[in-house]
Amino acid sequence: MRVLLTGGSGLVGSSLAPALVVSGHEVVRLLRPSAPAEGRETQATWNPDAGQIDLSRAGHLDTVVHLAGETIAQRWTPKVKRRIRDSRVEGTRLLCEALAGLPTLPKVLVCASATGIYGDRGEEWLDEASAAGNGFLAEVCREWEAASVLAAERAIRVVHLRIGIVLSPKGGALAKMLPVFRLGLGGPLGDGRTYWSWIALDDLLEVIQHALANETLRGVVNAVSPNPVTNAEFVKTLGGVLRRPAILPVPRLAVELLFGEMGREAMLSSFRVKPAKLIESSFKFQFSDLTPALRHLLSREG
């Protein structure tokens, strides 16, 4: 397959591109103007901020994987929230308009979304049929998914991957936690009862390829391990794998003071999510449980 990839420089995209090549696919990156000139000469380009996109160098596209978006791991000022929303909603809309105008349409668009759409739901089990929740993340995700409507109307199979916490020592939440935990200074956030729905990076790469190939998958698909854990369980397991204590709690108030609204929604909200559609489609997780996932990731890092 010939795959158009956005967000190729991010944590997931930078690992997905070589994985696709190893699997025998050809990857075309959709690059921003800030990319090196050499890359822009041979790849498709776009500038979502200016509403510009050029797929003239992309050639025939079989599939598209859309991962681009401003990081949410920063303090949410009004300006930052606008960037987070626009990078996802307007970027997706721009991409889908361009795809709809191609002489030959790609067969499938796999578009990133997030479990943040469910909002803070405590111990409630959530699957793809669960209603969206409240809050900034939920609102952004609803608009993000809706922005691909033009692709769906043109009979492109659209898969919205609602991705949980991606575990990798290369970046994301785990990479930020490791230095503190290695010093023995880690501990639960707040009361530790919030659920974290996670997925090992290795499994997420396989999920994306599974979604590209499996024609039965469409619409919302939760990309998480089948075994979410509470924050207290997560930090205890991480401490055990690192052979370090993980007993120093970070009070909820401290999280809110340090990170504001982002801390409340992204770090202290509870998402207990089930990957029902992946299970139904016979997807096989390499790492369905946290302990072997962390052992694998951290041993490979070493």
Side-chain angles (χ1 to χ4, degrees):
M1 290 189 299
R2 204 155 191 268
V3 185
L4 179 69
L5 174 64
T6 79
S9 62
L11 173 64
V12 178
S14 61
S15 295
L16 178 63
L20 288 169
V21 172
V22 167
S23 296
H25 306 303
E26 183 180 356
V27 177
V28 178
R29 297 173 185 264
L30 188 55
L31 302 177
R32 286 177 171 269
S34 57
E38 181 179 354
R40 293 202 307 274
E41 291 171 357
T42 58
Q43 304 289 338
T45 58
W46 72 334
N47 184 353
D49 298 334
Q52 299 170 347
I53 186 168
D54 180 8
L55 299 182
S56 61
R57 295 187 180 93
H60 172 75
L61 299 173
D62 298 296
T63 60
V64 181
V65 179
H66 178 39
L67 303 174
E70 175 87 7
T71 179
I72 66 168
Q74 54 184 315
R75 196 172 183 90
W76 293 350
T77 64
K79 185 176 181 180
V80 167
K81 290 172 75 173
R82 172 58 62 180
R83 290 204 309 267
I84 289 172
R85 180 200 172 277
D86 287 352
S87 67
R88 287 163 172 78
V89 179
E90 301 306 327
T92 300
R93 185 174 292 119
L94 177 67
L95 174 62
C96 289
E97 288 173 353
L99 295 177
L102 292 175
T104 303
L105 300 177
K107 295 178 180 178
V108 57
L109 165 63
V110 173
C111 185
S113 183
T115 55
I117 195 169
Y118 297 114
D120 187 2
R121 305 286 275 272
E123 297 184 356
E124 178 185 357
W125 276 105
L126 305 162
D127 63 17
E128 289 86 352
S130 299
N134 300 312
F136 172 68
L137 287 180
E139 178 183 334
V140 168
C141 289
R142 282 195 297 269
E143 294 185 52
W144 191 4
E145 293 179 5
S148 64
V149 64
L150 183 57
E153 288 176 348
R154 293 298 306 273
I156 298 173
R157 178 169 63 89
V158 179
V159 180
H160 299 289
L161 287 185
R162 291 180 176 173
I163 303 170
I165 298 171
V166 180
L167 298 186
S168 169
K170 298 178 182 179
L174 180 60
K176 290 180 172 64
M177 295 170 71
L178 284 174
V180 176
F181 275 73
R182 284 185 168 130
L183 292 172
L185 301 176
L189 300 178
D191 61 13
R193 296 178 183 174
T194 57
Y195 273 90
W196 282 16
S197 290
W198 59 275
I199 186 168
L201 177 60
D202 306 66
D203 275 335
L204 180 56
L205 302 181
E206 292 297 323
V207 166
I208 293 171
Q209 296 195 63
H210 181 69
L212 289 173
N214 192 319
E215 295 183 2
T216 67
L217 286 177
R218 63 177 62 245
V220 174
V221 175
N222 290 330
V224 293
S225 157
N227 295 304
V229 296
T230 65
N231 173 255
E233 292 171 321
F234 187 97
V235 299
K236 180 180 179 181
T237 303
L238 178 57
V241 170
L242 293 173
R243 298 182 181 179
R244 296 289 190 275
I247 57 174
L248 298 176
V250 182
R252 182 182 184 91
L253 180 60
V255 175
E256 293 179 346
L257 288 174
L258 285 170
F259 302 105
E261 186 181 1
M262 189 278 287
R264 288 192 299 275
E265 284 205 27
M267 300 170 69
L268 295 172
S269 291
S270 186
F271 308 100
R272 195 182 190 188
V273 181
K274 181 186 302 184
K277 284 191 177 181
L278 286 178
I279 293 171
E280 291 169 3
S281 69
S282 301
F283 179 79
K284 303 298 183 185
F285 287 88
Q286 296 182 66
F287 304 104
S288 58
D289 294 307
L290 183 61
T291 298
L294 289 175
R295 284 176 177 165
H296 166 75
L297 291 167
L298 299 182
S299 65
R300 188 171 61 181
E301 177 199 33

